[in-house]
Structures are given as C-alpha cells and as structure tokens.
C-alpha cells in the first residue's frame, strides 16, 4: 500500500530500464527482508497480526536454497530496506509500497505487468535524486505528503487534502520546518511552535502566495483540526525501528556476496513445501524451472573454471558439460540497444542430478537443458571459440575466469557417467583455486586434475572436515580473509 496518491504523483519521473542492464550485467544478489516484531501494532486502522504469516518459514527456506539472503528486520521491512539502501549496502529496493520513499530509499525498482512491458525484463526505476530535482520533493517533504494524504499509519491524513495540494505544500518547505520544530522544541514550546506552523500552513492555503498550489484552498484551511499533525504518526516515519549503527558498523554485518544455489537443498525444500515428492516429478520440474537458473549463476561465480578440451565449466560446487553451443538470434521482445545475438547452449545436467540426490538416476541422452546466455556473461575463452577467435588471451588478471588447459584425456570420458569424487580430485581443485586467487596459474600436475567428469562437491572432505581457502589481503574485490567453500 503506502502513501495515498504518492505513486501517481511521482509517475512523471518514472524511468524504464532493463533489469539485466540495471544490474550492470551481473546477476542480482537478492536480499529478502521480512517484517520484525517491532513493526507498528496498527496499520490502516487494523491490528497487525503478531505471529508471522504461514508462508514465512517456507519462503525463507526456498530463498536460501537458491543462494539468496534472508534478513529479519527489527521493525517494518520497508524501513529496513530504505536504511540499507541509504547506506549503500543495497543498490536498489524492489517493492510496490510507496512508504519506502518516505523512509529514504534512494533507488527503487517496480515490476511492470507483463502485458504492458516493451521487453521481457523491463522494470520501472525511481530515484530520490529525480524525485527531488524534477518534482521538488525531499525526504522531509515526502513525510509531509504522508501526513497530509494519509497512509499505512494514518489512513485518512488531513481530510480533503489530495496529492496535488500536498505536493504544493511540501514544495513550500513545510515538511522541513515541521521536522525542525519537532527536533528542536519540547513540551509547551513544542505545542506553541506546532500551533504557529499550523497557522502558517492555513495562511498558505488561503492565499497560495507561493504559487505552488493549483489555487486557493480556503475550505481546506478552515477544516484543519488542532490535532493535525499527529506527532505519533510523524515519529513512525521519522524514527522507524531499524537496525542500529552507522554504515561503518553495518557493512561487516550485511556483506552480501554472490552465492550459488544448493541443488540438494532445493530438492529438500521442493519436496517439503511444494509437494514435489518423486524423482520423476522433481527432475521434470527442475528441468523446466530450475536448471537454467542454476547454470547462469555458475557463470557469474568468481571461481569458475573452463576446460576447453572437454567443454566443461566448473565451480567449487558444481560443473556442467556443454554438448552444443552456438551464437543465435534470440526471439522475443528485447531491450533497446540490446543485441539479439546470444549464446544458445545445450548443457548436460548429469552433475546437477548427482548433486540433487545421489540416488537419482541419470540418462546421458535425456538429462540436458538449453540455456540462453548474454555474450558478456561467457568465459572469454568460450566466447573466443564461439566467435572463431583462436587468439590466446593475455588478460587473465582482468578476467573472472581462469583458463585451464586440462589433459587431452580420452574422448570416451566425455560421455562417461559421474562417479563419486575422490579426495585426490578435490585437492586438485582446491589447489587450483588457491593458485588462481594468488594470481598464479596452477602447476601442470594440477591442470590434469582440474576438470574431470567426476562430481565436484566441496561441501566436505572424505574425512568430513570442512575446507577453506585463504585469500591474500591484496586480492582485488575481495574483502574477507577466508572463503568457506561449504
């Protein structure tokens, strides 16, 4: 819901964009924020349910199985999201609730109904900068609009005041002056200052001396009660219950990083919460709805390896063999200035199935899926092969991908099933990743072990001890000292 009439009022500054382009051509790291116990007890005149909705726990399980993050807000989720966005801990907030603007969010994405989209991933983008520069509303002005128009904390607001009048009064600076009064005075002095502020507001409605109103609003001026504005409602917007601390204290706590989905965990939550309880149903559902997304998340891992001799992509958690690949013209509605030419890949899901459940049976012929991939998401060596460029790249230090020469091997291995991995193979992968993060290439011995048709599962060693890799403090774009591959 949010503020009455605000969404329509800020419609003129709406920009349309591609979600893929807005995410800087990297996958979005999704953080799902849930309401907490400190949220207001009443919203729009109704008592808020104390216990979480029935879908809370199942949705949290599914979100985390996909590698995304769950965050419990101490109060309103919208207020917490706005705070994280203000401190730069989240790049944008996806919500249809206009309260998030009043709480101070700087960038907000909104979904667009499929029928009205010009292209598949089109989204509406709103920024606090445009709201301020184009419409003339600051955060304090938005709080005044909420008090005048009404919202979740006061369904009515100032009776008879519409969004146009509220925006005009906000442009006059009455939001800034009200908040300054509240933050400066107390007791009787606060009461007197609020009374004078209300009188000034009435004078503006009578005269429209600023010219920001559509006309004189004398009837509205006469109807303003002495109880306006509600300081309790103002406090809910001005001082929402959010996680405490300045951004320097918050950063280590909210360190959101790209994580790959867990196929085994996805199987468990799908069986528990979605009723997908047979191997046949699970494999069918995953082939149609899950595998392509898991594969795309693989491509954006900082630790992805590509063995061009066997056409295998691998991360510490999963691997996939490419059976067919080509650059093709993708049909459908595409974003402006976006090339229709993308990589069309036929991918083996044998390793995916082995990680879903060790007892699942895999068929080399049927367990494949197709994936469309943006060209710039491909490992550079793979892109060179698809474009016919056989030049050797010297940009390993600028790439997210380490090119692995691999062993020539036997061609019969390429169609082999995926047996249980050995500790020897895991050690090779770990050694290679350690070299990669230190800016070195793996030894020739390690290269022959890097990519193998075996399942790569680094969740634990054969002796059940968790493995981790140390990272030098000088590693670019890495802020932690340990990456836990469990």
């Amino acid at each position: 819901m949010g503020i009455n009439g605000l969404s329509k009022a800020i419609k003129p500054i709406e920009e349309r964009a591609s979600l893929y382009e807005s995410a800087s051509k990297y996958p979005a790291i999704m953080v799902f924020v849930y309401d907490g116990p400190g949220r207001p007890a009443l919203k729009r005149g109704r008592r808020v349910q104390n216990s979480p909705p029935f879908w809370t726990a199942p949705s949290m399980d599914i979100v985390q199985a996909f590698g995304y993050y769950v965050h419990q807000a101490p109060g309103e989720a919208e207020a917490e999201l706005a705070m994280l966005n203000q401190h730069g801990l989240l790049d944008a907030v996806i919500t249809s609730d206009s309260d998030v603007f009043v709480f101070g969010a700087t960038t907000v994405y909104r979904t667009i109904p499929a029928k009205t989209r010009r292209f598949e991933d089109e989204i509406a983008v709103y920024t606090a900068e445009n709201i301020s520069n184009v419409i003339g509303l600051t955060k304090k002005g938005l709080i005044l609009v909420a008090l005048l128009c009404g919202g979740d904390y006061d369904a009515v607001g100032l009776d008879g005041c519409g969004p146009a009048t509220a925006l005009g009064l906000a442009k006059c600076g009455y939001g800034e002056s009200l908040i300054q009064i509240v933050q400066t005075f107390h007791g009787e002095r606060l009461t007197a200052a609020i009374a004078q502020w209300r009188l000034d507001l009435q004078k503006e409605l009578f005269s429209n001396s600023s010219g920001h109103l559509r006309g004189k609003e004398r009837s509205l001026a006469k109807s303003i009660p002495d109880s306006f504005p509600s300081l309790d409602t103002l406090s809910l917007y001005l001082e929402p219950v959010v996680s405490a601390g300045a951004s320097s204290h918050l950063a280590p706590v909210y360190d959101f990083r790209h994580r790959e989905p867990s196929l085994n965990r996805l199987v468990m939550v799908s069986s528990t919460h979605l009723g997908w309880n047979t191997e046949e149903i699970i494999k069918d559902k995953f082939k149609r709805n899950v595998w392509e997304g898991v594969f795309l998340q693989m491509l954006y891992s900082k630790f992805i390896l590509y063995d061009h001799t066997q056409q295998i992509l691998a991360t510490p958690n999963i691997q996939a063999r490419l059976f067919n690949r080509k650059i093709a013209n993708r049909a459908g509605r595409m974003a402006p200035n976006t090339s229709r030419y993308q990589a069309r890949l036929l991918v083996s899901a044998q390793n995916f199935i082995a990680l879903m459940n060790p007892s699942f049976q895999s068929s080399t012929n049927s367990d494949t899926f197709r994936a469309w991939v943006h060209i710039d998401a491909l490992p550079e060596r793979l892109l060179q092969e698809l474009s016919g460029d056989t030049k050797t790249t010297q940009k390993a230090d600028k790439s997210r991908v380490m090119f692995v020469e691999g062993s020539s091997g036997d061609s019969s291995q390429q169609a082999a099933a995926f047996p249980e991995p050995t500790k020897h193979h895991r050690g090779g992968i770990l050694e290679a990743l350690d070299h990669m993060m230190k800016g070195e290439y793996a030894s020739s011995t390690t290269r022959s072990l890097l990519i193998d048709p075996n399942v790569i599962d680094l969740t634990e060693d054969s002796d059940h001890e968790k493995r981790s890799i140390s990272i030098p403090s000088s590693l670019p774009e890495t802020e932690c000292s340990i990456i836990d591959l469990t």
Side-chain angles (χ1 to χ4, degrees), residues 20 33 49 82 124 160 176 202 237 250 309 352 358 370 432 461 475:
Y20 175 76
V33 179
Q49 183 179 353
E176 283 77 4
Q202 289 174 313
Y237 287 119
L250 292 170
T309 64
F352 288 27
R370 295 190 180 276
D461 273 332
L475 181 67

Side-chain angles (χ1 to χ4, degrees), residues 3-6 9 44 137 141-151 154-172 174 197 201-202 204-206 212-225 228-229:
I3 309 306
N4 300 334
L6 182 58
R44 294 195 172 268
L137 285 178
L142 285 165
I143 292 177
L144 178 65
V145 172
L147 295 172
L148 291 167
C149 293
D154 178 2
V156 178
L158 180 59
D159 193 21
C161 182
T165 300
L167 262 64
L169 293 172
K171 291 178 182 179
C172 294
Y174 287 106
W197 176 88
L201 192 72
Q202 289 174 313
E204 180 60 32
L205 288 169
F206 265 110
H212 290 307
L213 304 178
R214 290 182 176 180
K216 298 176 180 179
E217 300 275 2
R218 294 179 178 177
S219 296
L220 180 61
K222 294 177 181 179
S223 68
I224 298 178
F228 181 84

Side-chain angles (χ1 to χ4, degrees), residues 5 33 41 124 133 137 145 157 175-176 203 272 294 345 350 399 413 428:
V33 179
N133 294 341
L137 285 178
V145 172
E176 283 77 4
K203 289 180 179 178
T272 303
V294 172
L345 308 176
Q350 282 185 279
S399 175
Q413 282 188 324

Side-chain angles (χ1 to χ4, degrees), residues 26 380 394-401 477:
Y26 288 92
E380 192 170 346
Q394 300 296 329
K395 299 180 180 179
D397 58 324
K398 296 182 180 179
S399 175
R400 293 179 297 105
V401 180
E477 300 182 3

Side-chain angles (χ1 to χ4, degrees), residues 34-37 39 49-57 60 72:
Y34 292 75
D35 285 330
R39 59 185 173 172
Q49 183 179 353
N50 290 328
S51 59
F54 73 92
W55 47 262
T56 300
M60 286 182 172
Q72 184 78 60

Side-chain angles (χ1 to χ4, degrees), residues 337-465:
N337 303 318
T338 298
S339 173
R340 289 186 173 273
Y341 288 96
Q342 298 183 13
R344 182 63 165 160
L345 308 176
L346 179 64
V347 186
S348 168
Q350 282 185 279
N351 182 235
F352 288 27
I353 293 171
L355 292 176
M356 286 165 62
N357 190 315
S359 66
F360 284 1
Q361 300 298 313
S362 176
S363 170
T364 304
N365 296 327
S366 61
D367 291 326
T368 59
F369 62 93
R370 295 190 180 276
W372 284 103
V373 180
H374 283 272
I375 298 300
D376 50 16
L378 294 172
E380 192 170 346
R381 180 61 175 267
L382 177 56
L383 178 58
Q384 289 176 359
E385 293 173 2
L386 287 174
S387 62
D389 184 0
T390 58
K391 293 185 296 182
T392 301
T393 180
Q394 300 296 329
K395 299 180 180 179
D397 58 324
K398 296 182 180 179
S399 175
R400 293 179 297 105
V401 180
M402 175 182 175
F403 302 144
V404 182
E405 295 300 330
S407 58
S408 57
D410 182 44
S411 59
S412 63
Q413 282 188 324
Q414 297 189 20
F418 296 101
E420 184 66 17
T422 65
K423 185 174 181 179
H424 184 58
H425 287 116
R426 290 173 175 169
I429 290 288
L430 287 168
E431 182 183 345
L433 289 171
D434 205 18
H435 280 288
M436 177 178 68
M437 290 185 291
K438 292 176 180 176
E440 305 168 358
Y441 282 103
S443 66
S444 58
T445 302
T446 303
R447 288 178 182 174
S448 65
L449 298 173
L450 288 180
I451 306 299
D452 189 278
N454 295 295
V455 176
I456 299 176
D457 182 1
L458 296 183
T459 54
E460 57 183 5
D461 273 332
S462 56
D463 58 358
H464 303 289
E465 291 181 1

